[in-house]
Structure formats: structure tokens, C-alpha cells
Amino acid sequence: MRSANRFWWHVGVATAVIMLGCWLCSGTMAPYGTHTLGDCHYRVNGDHEQFSGVFAMLDGQPAVEWRDSVVLRRILHPLLAYPLMKIFGFWAGGLMFNLLLHGGAMLALALALRRFYDARAAVLACWLFAAYPGYAYWAGLPYSYALIVPGSIACTIGLLWWHERPSLARVAIAATIIGVVGCGYDIMPFFGGALLLLTAHRRRWRDLGVSVVVLGVWAVFVARGLPAIFGFPATNSNTQTYGNVIGAWLHFWQRTDGWGAVLAEAPHVLVSNFLFSGMIFFPILFLLVVAHHLKFRVRPILGPVALAILLSTFAVFLFLNLAPPYGGAWQLRGTWLARLYQPWFVVVLLVVAAASVALRDTRRHKVLVAAVIACCLIDGVAIAGPYIHVYGVYMTVNENFYQHPSLKKNWSWLHHLGVRPYGICK
């Protein structure tokens, strides 16, 4: 089989696998589900009406149907899914869109990694992506969170594209990609920060200025423009939490009581969030590959783009977890909310692709491939475990990704509702 045919065969099968994974984690299998809804008793999250409210707003329904939603600013996912949602309904249409969205993300990732690394590296990273439980956590429900993983892929491609041949036009486009994705999820601090780090590192000061302006315009559009266009409040209980963190930093000299305990807890929180934000096995693979690189001093595998995303994610962690004590119902700190740092999973894909090129035609490349296969297999169990009656990995991975009390009932849900993806009612 010719190399081009092998490449497309692998990418095609990986695309089918990731779309199948999206479907398998729907219905009663949705890890993010906390309640049941409808005659089939499929699982939904307690915020189901919050998310469906965005579709209702776009659909022109009366404001009483959606004005209380706190996620109206996350408009990109329901906007792109609107045609399918309009034809098939919010739930079925949203799930169909999620399957197509993740299939498209796989194809885009494959083409990008083949361009910036090579075909064999792209195939290895694509299979790793196909088995990543992080997309399956969200994709079985028609919510805007399903955009996090494909959106992270899109932003990463934009960063790689700018870094390949920096220019003012490319930096404006890369910043726009990040801004557009920011209309779907609060992802700009991760990839916008990475873009600023990359432009500063390359000492391209005009590019830095352009990226600051473009990212700033998109941030204002999300925070103020969308509310003005659609007529919903610019602040709510969800956005106010960010204001609480910022306010704590701005008045840090007034918030010293208990700050020492917060700082002392930070190392433990860092380790926990690092491990569980990547669904356990991605971070372990990352550490093994980086440790191998440091031991044998092979070609650099933590490239500028991967390092910038990692540093930007770490900066977000420090900003949220080292903040002085603040009030409010929600605390954006601690071990319970590892899912906030999910976007860094793309670093693992980039590191594996770089390691594949660096170790090519050596015995250690076979070790890398074996490690990736092992990670794919155990992550596959985390996605499909209940179907093959292996529940422990499924529950451990998903329940530590987001340690909310209402999400600690997977065993009970599966026992009472059965293992049924969307479309299988009994």
C-alpha cells in the first residue's frame, strides 16, 4: 500500500472511531449527565435548560424562554449546529453536529500535523486523539462544551500556521481564529496567551501589537457586543465569578486572611489538576515522553508552540489558584475543577508528533509507538468500558475530571438505566 493511501486509511478509520466514540457516550452513557429526561430516560445535565436557552434565543423564541440562561454568550456551538437542531431538534440535531464536528477536527488535525511534522507523526497523534476520553466527556450531549476539544484543535493549528512563517496577516488571522472560538467557550486565555508568548519570544513586536488589538476586540465583542446584539445581560452569576477573582487580585492587601493556606495548598492542587485535566493517561504519556527526551537528549520535542500553550495554561492556573480568598458561590480553584485546564491536551498530541519525527528509524521509536498504543487502549476502555463491563477506568477518569457531587453517581446510573447510547430507547 502506498504511503499516501496508508495515511488516508489510518485517518479515515480514526475519524470513524472518534465519531463512534461521540455516539457511544450519549444517551445513558453521558458522563456529564446528572438527571434523566424523556421517555427513554437519557441522561442530561442539570443545566440542560441553560444550554437549550441559547438555541431558543437564536430561534427567535420569546425571551421568557431563554433570558435566564447564564451561557448565552457561548453562542458559537448552537449557531453552527442551528440547521441540524432546527430540523431534528435541539438534542438529536446537536448530537449529529457533534459527530460531524469531531470528525472534521480529526481531519483538520491530520492534515495540519502532516504539514508541520510528517505523515507518520500525524497518524500516531490522530490515533491518540481518537482514543482521548476528553472529547467523549462532552460530545454525547448537545451543549456548547462539545466545542472545547475541536476548538482547541483549531486554535493550535492557527498557532502552528503562524509559527511556520510569521507575518502580520497571519498573526491577525490566528488571533481571529482564537477570538471566534472564544465565542463558544472561554478559551482565549489559553491560546491567546500562547500567541502573545510566541510573538514576544520571536521578538516580533508589531505582531505582538496586532495580536493584542485583535484579541482585545474579540474579548470586548464576547463580553459586551453579543449581549448588546441579542439583548441579554452582560453579567450574570457565571461571569461574576471571574469578576470575583479579578477583584481579589486588585485588592489583595485587603484579602490576606486565609491566603497562606491557599498558597500552601497550591502544589497539591497543581499535581491533581495536571493529572486529572488530561484524563490521567495523557499526562502520564506526556511525562514519559519528556523524561525520555531529557535522558537521551534527542532532538527537542517540546517545541515553541507546545511550550507556549503549556506556559499559558500554567499562568491561568496560577491566576485562579493563587488568588487571595474571595466570596461567591463558585470557587475557581482547588482539585474539584480540573476540567478548566482541558485545552492543554493538545500539547500531548504535539509532543508525540515531534517525538515520532525525532526518534524515527531508531529502536526507541518502537517504544514510543508501543506507549501510544497502550495509552490508546486504556483510554478506549475509559470511553467504552461499560459496554465491555470494565467500569473502574470509566468512572475514575470521568469522576476526577470534574469532581462535582452530582457527577459521582455513574455506577448507580448505569445500573438503573442500562448502557444505551442515544437512539436506543430500551
Side-chain angles (χ1 to χ4, degrees):
M1 188 184 294
R2 292 168 49 192
S3 59
N5 291 337
R6 284 198 301 268
F7 171 78
W8 284 113
W9 184 88
H10 280 284
V11 172
V13 177
T15 301
V17 168
I18 200 170
M19 295 174 73
L20 177 64
C22 293
W23 179 64
L24 290 178
C25 288
S26 63
T28 65
M29 287 287 295
Y32 188 50
T34 60
H35 298 74
T36 62
L37 187 67
D39 295 336
C40 296
H41 300 288
Y42 294 143
R43 288 167 63 183
V44 298
N45 189 264
D47 290 331
H48 183 81
E49 293 184 357
Q50 303 279 344
F51 294 105
S52 63
V54 189
F55 169 73
M57 179 182 72
L58 294 174
D59 198 39
Q61 297 179 27
V64 69
E65 300 290 334
W66 51 263
R67 64 187 175 192
D68 292 331
S69 172
V70 298
V71 294
L72 296 175
R73 70 189 186 282
R74 293 174 178 162
I75 196 174
L76 183 60
H77 178 273
L79 185 64
L80 296 175
Y82 181 82
L84 288 173
M85 288 182 172
K86 186 65 176 177
I87 296 171
F88 298 101
F90 173 71
W91 202 336
L95 179 59
M96 291 179 189
F97 174 74
N98 289 349
L99 268 66
L100 297 174
L101 178 65
H102 285 79
M106 177 66 78
L107 294 174
L109 177 69
L111 292 172
L113 294 184
R114 185 176 68 169
R115 171 174 175 168
F116 300 120
Y117 296 94
D118 65 22
R120 291 176 65 183
V123 165
L124 199 61
C126 282
W127 276 114
L128 191 61
F129 179 43
Y132 171 54
Y135 76 80
Y137 189 88
W138 310 111
L141 290 169
Y143 303 158
S144 55
Y145 288 153
L147 190 73
I148 296 173
V149 169
S152 298
I153 295 291
C155 292
T156 302
I157 293 172
L159 295 176
L160 289 168
W161 182 66
W162 174 84
H163 188 263
E164 178 192 42
R165 193 168 66 248
S167 69
L168 289 176
R170 286 196 173 203
V171 81
I173 294 172
T176 298
I177 292 172
I178 295 169
V180 170
V181 174
C183 294
Y185 184 70
D186 307 330
I187 214 167
M188 273 194 274
F190 298 94
F191 295 99
L195 182 59
L196 299 180
L197 288 173
L198 286 169
T199 53
H201 174 71
R202 297 286 288 268
R203 297 185 179 181
R204 295 188 62 88
W205 306 120
R206 288 192 297 172
D207 289 41
L208 177 61
V210 169
S211 59
V212 168
V213 171
V214 174
L215 291 171
V217 168
W218 277 105
V220 172
F221 176 73
V222 173
R224 299 294 176 181
L226 287 175
I229 293 171
F230 290 98
F232 59 84
T235 59
N236 53 53
S237 60
N238 186 289
T239 58
Q240 185 57 47
T241 306
Y242 299 116
N244 292 339
V245 179
I246 295 171
W249 279 111
L250 292 177
H251 303 91
F252 66 91
W253 62 88
Q254 299 174 351
R255 310 283 183 93
T256 56
D257 289 346
W259 198 3
V262 168
L263 298 178
E265 183 70 8
H268 166 68
V269 175
L270 174 62
V271 173
S272 178
N273 283 342
F274 170 77
L275 187 63
F276 295 128
S277 65
M279 315 294 276
I280 302 177
F281 303 107
F282 257 51
I284 291 174
L285 178 64
F286 170 78
L287 292 176
L288 290 175
V289 174
V290 171
H292 176 274
H293 163 68
L294 295 175
K295 179 178 179 180
F296 293 98
R297 302 181 182 224
V298 295
R299 288 170 52 186
I301 57 172
L302 194 60
V305 172
L307 184 59
I309 296 171
L310 201 60
L311 290 175
S312 184
T313 304
F314 182 56
V316 174
F317 170 84
L318 294 178
F319 179 76
L320 295 179
N321 284 274
L322 300 188
Y326 56 88
W330 292 89
Q331 292 287 309
L332 298 180
R333 69 164 105 240
T335 60
W336 73 285
L337 205 56
R339 70 175 182 83
L340 276 182
Y341 310 101
Q342 182 179 20
W344 85 271
F345 83 93
V346 296
V347 173
V348 184
L349 302 179
L350 297 182
V351 164
V352 166
S356 176
V357 174
L359 299 174
R360 189 67 48 75
D361 300 324
T362 68
R363 292 181 179 179
R364 293 194 294 273
H365 186 267
K366 295 181 179 179
V367 176
L368 172 68
V369 173
V372 171
I373 291 174
C375 185
C376 288
L377 290 175
I378 196 166
D379 275 340
V381 172
I383 294 174
Y387 291 96
I388 57 176
H389 306 290
V390 180
Y391 301 97
V393 178
Y394 168 85
M395 290 187 289
T396 300
V397 165
N398 290 316
E399 291 177 4
N400 284 288
F401 181 65
Y402 186 16
Q403 298 175 12
H404 195 280
S406 61
L407 293 166
K408 294 282 189 179
K409 302 176 182 178
N410 277 301
W411 173 255
S412 176
W413 285 124
L414 297 176
H415 178 70
H416 288 94
L417 301 178
V419 179
R420 298 179 287 111
Y422 188 90
I424 300 177
C425 194
K426 294 183 180 179

